[in-house]
Amino acid sequence: MSARTRTTGAVLAALAAAAVAVPGATPVAALAAEPRGEAATPGDSGAGDPYFPFAGNGGYDVRHYDLDLTYQPPAPEPAPLVGRLSGVATIDLTATQNLDRFNLDLRGLDVHEVEVNGRSAEEVDPPSPGEQVEGAAYWRVQNDAQRQWELTIQPRPRLTKGERARVVVTYGGDTTRPTDIEGALYGWVTTRDGAMVVNEPEGAMTWYPVSDHPTDKATYGFEITVPEGKVAVANGLPRRKPVTKDGWTTWFWKAPDQQASYLTTASVGDFTLHTSKTDRGLAVVNAVDKDLTAANAATTSASLARQADMIAFFEDTFTRYPFNSFGAIVDDDSVGYALETQTRPVYSRVASESTVAHELAHQWLGNAVSPELWRGIWLNEGWASYAEWLWAEESGGRSAQASFEEVMAIPADDPFWTVVVADPGPLGLFVAPVYDRGAATLHALRLEIGDRAFFASARRWLQRYDDSTATTEDFEAVCEKVSGESLDAFFDTWLRTPSKPPTP
Ligand code: ARG
Ligand code: ZN
């Protein structure tokens, strides 16, 4: 036992006093075996986001996820549209408090085995409040009405603050087509030929145990085994060549950049992979479904051919591209939208040029710098939409000023102007004003503080909060600092007032 961990009589006495003072505190007898200052308490069941109170978890930080998945897509029609997923998730985390127990988010899917630091936990029924559970254990709470999907793990010995632990969860089950709070498809969306995997805002938990909130970014490794002939595409770059054995092919991907859980993907389909490099050496990996219509295939290949030029333009406008690679996953199925999955956006049926510009811009604005709370969604969608305007102008199309004027042509009595862009509510995350009034806000800001301060603010924002999360207030502070102007009234008018701002 080291000096640091030796418990003195005085510390024990203090712990005894604390146990008396705090109802429900862990008894001293239990602590005596694992003494470390503060009593070990349960980690929170959420990250503290009012839009999704049970998304993410407290008490630890994930450093890395290794996801070893095996997926059997549905049989041909008329078989039901149900796949079969089995997984081993190896999660390396650091306790941020003395932890009696902690949660992971996992929706549906069965858990077969849980190990912490190589010691296996026993499945038990959820204890009632105040009830103690003996020994290393885990249990599930699945409450669809509350959007509360939790796997609680009670490690023994308890984890101490700062301790690193490896959690291995073996799990699996049938996959269907989960939906988000507004009823849109998301998560592991089973398709006839595979799966389209798009998690925004908290759909990662439909396919792996996760702390499902952008404030807990981590790195990822993937090993995805699918029937021979199918292609599995995840974030980042291939770690090695696929391996085929007994009719199954394993695809290896690694994503070494910090990544929010809503941006992970492991899509499966009848894809053709195309790999290239930009002039400055950035790897581009495109996965295009073999079954796109001829018209969609033509549009898609024309758009993807512009990716290198778009990257160069946004690097000039913003900062260096933030990740190790880029590319696209273009599925012949549809979830009804595209998503900026990190390094490799997913597109439904076709990738148009403006959508590719939008999803690329998100790699900086949304992915490298992510919303700290989901109410800050306009920082993603307003910026990506504004970047679309900038790309249109750069590539000989409509000017950003003309795009701005189109938004400002919406009549003042249109309900468009009633959305509070800085806090649109969980059902308002993806409404048009978040995108278009968000973009107009940025253009109005540019008119207010001038091009120099505007683009310097964008770069400062990206440097200051790279690999992290930030709020609307943080953005305002950066703009005020860089421009030297007081912008409170400006941002209140544009982001917090449910009426049309005066046209500048
Ligand atoms: N972030 C995506 C984009 O703008 C859109 C996601 C839309 N999701 C939804 N459930 N409607 O690129
Ligand atoms: Zn977007």
Side-chain angles (χ1 to χ4, degrees), residues 102-135:
F102 60 92
N103 286 13
L104 289 163
D105 304 312
L106 182 64
R107 175 175 172 185
L109 301 176
D110 302 314
V111 171
H112 305 306
E113 202 181 341
V114 174
E115 280 184 8
V116 180
N117 292 333
R119 301 192 193 202
S120 95
E122 188 193 344
E123 178 161 27
V124 298
D125 290 332
S128 38
E131 187 187 340
Q132 301 287 319
V133 174
E134 287 297 312

Side-chain angles (χ1 to χ4, degrees), residues 180 182 184-186 200 337-340 358-359 362 381 430 435:
D180 68 9
E182 56 171 333
L185 290 170
Y186 83 153
E200 194 180 20
Y337 56 86
L339 186 70
E340 62 269 24
H358 180 110
E359 308 310 340
H362 271 310
E381 301 308 344
F430 305 113
Y435 288 71

Side-chain angles (χ1 to χ4, degrees), residues 64-410:
H64 182 80
Y65 295 88
D66 248 313
L67 303 179
D68 187 343
L69 308 175
T70 300
Y71 180 59
Q72 171 71 65
E77 285 196 85
L81 204 48
V82 173
R84 183 106 203 142
L85 182 67
S86 58
V88 180
T90 302
I91 303 169
D92 291 325
L93 56 79
T94 306
T96 55
Q97 67 182 54
N98 290 342
L99 262 186
D100 181 58
R101 59 202 204 205
F102 60 92
N103 286 13
L104 289 163
D105 304 312
L106 182 64
R107 175 175 172 185
L109 301 176
D110 302 314
V111 171
H112 305 306
E113 202 181 341
V114 174
E115 280 184 8
V116 180
N117 292 333
R119 301 192 193 202
S120 95
E122 188 193 344
E123 178 161 27
V124 298
D125 290 332
S128 38
E131 187 187 340
Q132 301 287 319
V133 174
E134 287 297 312
Y138 71 88
W139 59 88
R140 304 288 297 278
V141 172
Q142 300 280 297
N143 184 334
D144 293 8
Q146 302 278 329
R147 301 189 77 74
Q148 178 186 20
W149 295 292
E150 304 289 340
L151 163 63
T152 301
I153 300 174
Q154 175 172 289
R156 290 295 178 269
R158 293 172 176 82
L159 303 182
T160 56
K161 182 174 178 173
E163 181 179 346
R164 294 175 167 220
R166 170 163 288 185
V167 180
V168 180
V169 180
T170 305
Y171 65 100
D174 288 345
T175 66
T176 54
R177 292 162 67 82
T179 48
D180 68 9
I181 193 168
E182 56 171 333
L185 290 170
Y186 83 153
W188 189 279
V189 177
T190 305
T191 60
R192 188 59 66 183
D193 65 347
M196 265 183 104
V197 183
V198 285
N199 309 326
E200 194 180 20
E202 28 71 284
M205 65 173 86
T206 67
W207 60 282
Y208 63 99
V210 54
S211 187
D212 206 353
H213 193 269
T215 46
D216 197 354
K217 295 187 179 185
T219 55
Y220 282 82
F222 304 86
E223 287 188 32
I224 311 157
T225 302
V226 291
E228 185 174 358
K230 296 287 174 191
V231 179
V233 190
N235 311 93
L237 286 170
R239 182 164 63 77
R240 49 179 285 193
K241 285 212 177 78
V243 174
T244 298
K245 210 185 135 201
D246 301 332
W248 293 84
T249 301
T250 303
W251 297 82
F252 303 87
W253 296 86
K254 62 165 181 216
D257 298 305
Q258 291 295 317
Q259 178 166 307
S261 54
Y262 75 94
L263 299 169
T264 56
T265 192
S267 291
V268 177
D270 298 322
F271 300 123
T272 305
L273 286 177
H274 309 263
T275 302
S276 59
K277 277 200 157 77
T278 67
D279 286 347
R280 79 140 170 90
L282 184 74
V284 176
V285 181
N286 298 327
V288 179
D289 202 301
K290 295 183 166 94
D291 299 318
L292 301 188
T293 66
N296 284 343
T299 302
T300 295
S301 76
S303 305
L304 298 186
R306 305 301 308 271
Q307 289 180 125
D309 288 342
M310 291 179 188
I311 292 167
F313 172 65
F314 289 137
E315 286 193 326
D316 285 347
T317 306
F318 301 125
T319 52
R320 191 173 166 92
Y321 179 79
F323 307 123
N324 76 346
S325 60
F326 190 57
I329 301 170
V330 189
D331 204 307
D332 68 329
D333 287 286
S334 174
V335 292
Y337 56 86
L339 186 70
E340 62 269 24
T341 35
Q342 193 151 302
T343 68
R344 196 135 306 114
V346 172
Y347 302 86
S348 292
R349 295 205 179 111
V350 64
S352 71
E353 185 175 321
S354 60
T355 306
V356 171
H358 180 110
E359 308 310 340
L360 171 61
H362 271 310
Q363 304 305 310
W364 287 261
L365 298 149
N367 298 11
V369 181
S370 308
E372 187 151 325
L373 292 171
W374 280 109
R375 71 162 71 99
I377 186 68
W378 85 276
L379 292 164
N380 288 14
E381 301 308 344
W383 261 118
S385 301
Y386 192 58
E388 269 184 76
W389 296 3
L390 296 175
W391 173 253
E393 177 170 310
E394 166 71 12
S395 57
R398 186 158 57 169
S399 68
Q401 177 65 26
S403 297
F404 177 69
E405 285 166 10
E406 189 182 75
V407 176
M408 297 314 287
I410 298 173

